[in-house]
Amino acid sequence: KRVRRGDLSAASRALSIVVNEDASSESLAKEFFKASGSAQKIGVSGPPGAGKSTLTGRLIGAYRARKLKVGVLAVDPSSSISGGAFLGDRLRIMEHATDPGVFIRSLASRGMIGGLTYAIFGAIHVLETLGCEKIIIETVGTGQDEVDIASVADTILYVTTPSMGDEIQAMKAGAMEIGDIFVVNKADLSGRDKAVSDLKGALGLGQSAGQALKAWEPPVVATSALSGEGVAELAKTSEAHWVHLKKSGEGRERLKIQHATELRFWVHCHVVKNALDRVTDKLLEDLVSRKTDPASAGRKLLSL
């Protein structure tokens, strides 16, 4: 109830409970799920060094200028020992931390491949219940392999820079397929026009290779997160994509994919946890002495 009223401290506590899977997390998660689909979830993806954090900070400013309530979930690499995040909240977005219209939280990836964390949906639903109209999800930054964000967010911003021209030329599947808006950041550097042209050419190749024309053609936007150049256009373009999703059937289809992914995450976590909780020292001794093998032991654990 406090989260629905906009209480930030309650939202922070609720998010911790849901993310850490405390005893009360499931009953809370059921309540927060009722708000699912109410906010535009914007995934900010791309290789390390592309300036995603600085760009996120600028986007927050652009949305707040329109009086929109913004939530930010920054997924950070985890320690393989403690499971905690290495980086914590990004310094470049923390200038908004005292703004009551902005909620920022860092989440540990906990070793999950694809730049996300299994707890991402629980965190999203808390922010939706809080009344956030825009939820920005900044992924770890693993580059081309970072495609899981497509099954979590509504609008994917794929961020690159002029200095990554060779990478643009080499782009194949993955990032080129999931991006809804392509951003050439650090546009104050030389090579901006060539990078924009290369990206447009790469996107055009996909269409000329026999693909059907899409209802939404991914645009290329040049920005400078340092100066703020192009950020207003980027915010406007992401809003246009949100309108497109709501007016077409694509938004509903994407929501189905998101719910299917959330269900998969839940089943995966609980099946793995329940099975691993049954691993005994005797079972490990049997493996060491080769009385059994991992496949046989695993099947037995899953059948219990």
Side-chain angles (χ1 to χ4, degrees):
K1 289 178 180 178
R2 286 169 56 199
V3 173
R4 288 193 187 103
R5 291 198 297 266
D7 187 325
L8 295 180
S9 63
S12 182
R13 176 64 186 140
L15 201 147
S16 294
I17 292 171
V18 169
V19 167
N20 294 327
E21 296 184 321
D22 290 355
S24 58
S25 66
E26 196 161 314
S27 58
L28 266 180
K30 289 177 182 178
E31 289 299 314
F32 292 133
F33 182 76
K34 294 175 182 178
S36 65
S38 58
Q40 182 184 17
K41 300 176 290 294
I42 302 165
V44 182
S45 181
K52 297 189 294 296
S53 294
T54 310
L55 186 63
T56 295
R58 288 287 187 179
L59 267 178
I60 295 171
Y63 289 134
R64 289 300 294 143
R66 293 167 50 197
K67 308 298 184 186
L68 296 174
K69 196 167 187 176
V70 183
V72 180
L73 297 172
V75 184
D76 286 322
S78 304
S79 163
S80 59
I81 298 173
S82 68
F86 281 141
L87 303 179
D89 289 325
R90 312 303 210 277
L91 293 176
R92 292 177 180 86
I93 60 177
M94 290 310 292
E95 61 185 270
H96 300 282
T98 57
D99 184 340
V102 179
F103 186 98
I104 301 170
R105 185 64 172 260
S106 180
L107 301 175
S109 64
R110 298 182 182 179
M112 182 176 172
I113 305 299
L116 292 174
T117 169
Y118 288 116
I120 192 72
F121 284 105
I124 287 170
H125 298 327
V126 171
L127 297 187
E128 289 173 321
T129 303
L130 184 63
C132 292
E133 294 151 285
K134 305 292 179 184
I135 300 174
I136 302 174
I137 305 163
E138 186 190 335
T139 57
V140 171
T142 58
Q144 195 71 7
D145 295 330
E146 200 175 75
V147 295
D148 285 350
I149 186 66
S151 59
V152 174
D154 304 302
T155 301
I156 311 298
L157 310 184
Y158 190 85
V159 186
T160 185
T161 71
S163 61
M164 295 176 181
D166 291 340
E167 292 188 21
I168 292 172
Q169 293 285 12
M171 278 181 176
K172 300 184 182 71
M176 294 301 293
E177 294 179 348
I178 68 166
D180 296 302
I181 302 168
F182 289 85
V183 184
V184 177
N185 194 28
K186 303 184 180 180
D188 47 310
L189 301 177
S190 61
R192 156 189 166 164
D193 293 340
K194 183 178 185 304
V196 170
S197 177
D198 286 347
L199 258 176
K200 288 182 176 178
L203 290 166
L205 276 176
Q207 293 299 333
S208 62
Q211 293 182 3
L213 287 174
K214 300 175 183 176
W216 173 267
E217 291 298 320
V220 180
V221 180
T223 64
S224 171
L226 195 62
S227 68
E229 175 192 351
V231 173
E233 181 190 351
L234 178 59
K236 184 178 178 181
T237 305
S238 74
E239 184 64 30
H241 185 252
W242 182 229
V243 171
H244 159 73
L245 291 178
K246 288 191 288 187
K247 286 186 175 180
S248 69
E250 191 178 345
R252 186 176 182 84
E253 289 305 309
R254 289 200 181 196
L255 196 56
K256 285 182 184 178
I257 292 170
Q258 291 163 19
H259 289 335
T261 304
E262 183 172 8
L263 183 59
R264 175 167 58 86
F265 282 5
W266 191 95
V267 171
H268 180 275
C269 286
H270 285 75
V271 167
V272 169
K273 184 178 184 301
N274 290 340
L276 293 182
D277 283 347
R278 301 190 193 105
V279 175
T280 63
D281 188 64
K282 181 184 181 304
L283 177 59
L284 297 176
E285 286 289 347
D286 287 346
L287 285 168
V288 171
S289 60
R290 293 190 291 278
K291 291 180 180 178
T292 187
D293 60 88
S296 300
R299 288 188 180 281
K300 184 176 180 181
L301 288 172
L302 291 175
S303 65
L304 293 176

